[in-house]
Amino acid sequence: MYQRTADFYRALLKYGKDATFDDDYNVEGSLQYAYNGEDSILCLEEDPYYGSDFNYMIDLIDSFIYQTHYYSHEINSVSIVYKLEHTPDWTNEQLDCLDPFDDGQSWAEGWLRHPNLDSICMCYAVHDLCTHKDYSIPDFLRLNDFWVEAKVVCQHIVEQDGTRYDPFKET
């Protein structure tokens, strides 16, 4: 997601602005779990052992996330705001388009902090789903549909008097 977002931004810088339309840019990337019915649940042969209706539970948690203001489906995201000084040869680091959570440290907290899991470096996405979004570890292991998006948002902004927005205009 981070690499693709940076690649889109570099392409935008390389091919330039369309002065007839483009007033401002944002390049955004996001990762989220997408529940789309039973096909979004991975069935494992030991499912009967748990005695859980994983489809029902995951649907319930997903519905709760949509209905509350405390949670977001988004697991991770990045946004690059257009700046005049940026050039296509800038690195992901210079563009501030690196995963700040990918630091080699485990994000094992709560249920993920278990002696049987000590040898596994838990990434932030696992932490987010099991700690912030309340999926149990067995539920998490069955999540099967993820939505990763990278997009360019070109904005054309005009005041009612016909004045176009200029994000670089000195105020």
Side-chain angles (χ1 to χ4, degrees):
M1 174 189 73
Y2 285 89
Q3 186 60 51
R4 190 66 176 138
T5 302
D7 290 345
F8 272 141
Y9 187 68
R10 284 189 193 89
L12 175 74
L13 293 172
K14 182 178 178 182
Y15 294 108
K17 203 172 170 180
D18 176 354
T20 64
F21 183 85
D22 303 344
D23 293 320
D24 197 17
Y25 296 112
N26 281 322
V27 183
E28 304 165 351
S30 68
L31 165 67
Q32 64 181 349
Y33 172 68
Y35 177 78
N36 295 304
E38 288 186 29
D39 291 339
S40 296
I41 309 300
L42 181 64
C43 295
L44 303 174
E45 61 183 70
E46 67 271 2
D47 282 356
Y49 168 81
Y50 289 99
S52 176
D53 182 344
F54 290 104
N55 184 55
Y56 174 77
M57 289 306 297
I58 291 170
D59 182 23
L60 183 66
I61 294 167
D62 187 74
S63 296
F64 177 73
I65 291 169
Y66 265 119
Q67 294 173 5
T68 182
H69 298 294
Y70 300 107
Y71 295 100
S72 165
H73 271 85
E74 197 168 83
I75 297 167
N76 203 343
S77 66
V78 64
S79 179
I80 306 174
V81 178
Y82 179 78
K83 294 183 181 166
L84 288 174
E85 65 268 18
H86 290 168
T87 63
D89 61 338
W90 278 30
T91 65
N92 289 13
E93 185 175 14
Q94 288 172 304
L95 295 173
D96 198 24
C97 191
L98 294 174
D99 185 352
F101 304 119
D102 185 14
D103 58 2
Q105 300 296 313
S106 181
W107 283 86
E109 294 178 1
W111 296 108
L112 298 173
R113 187 175 295 265
H114 189 279
N116 292 344
L117 302 174
D118 281 346
S119 64
I120 300 172
C121 182
M122 297 290 174
C123 70
Y124 180 79
V126 172
H127 162 82
D128 181 80
L129 289 163
C130 293
T131 306
H132 299 292
K133 296 192 173 52
D134 299 325
Y135 289 102
S136 69
I137 293 172
D139 288 338
F140 165 76
L141 293 173
R142 287 153 179 86
L143 300 181
N144 201 35
D145 282 350
F146 290 87
W147 183 266
V148 183
E149 186 173 87
K151 64 184 178 184
V152 176
V153 178
C154 298
Q155 298 173 325
H156 181 71
I157 306 165
V158 181
E159 298 288 335
Q160 287 186 4
D161 67 1
T163 306
R164 288 198 39 199
Y165 173 73
D166 182 359
F168 306 106
K169 180 180 172 184
E170 303 244 350
T171 55

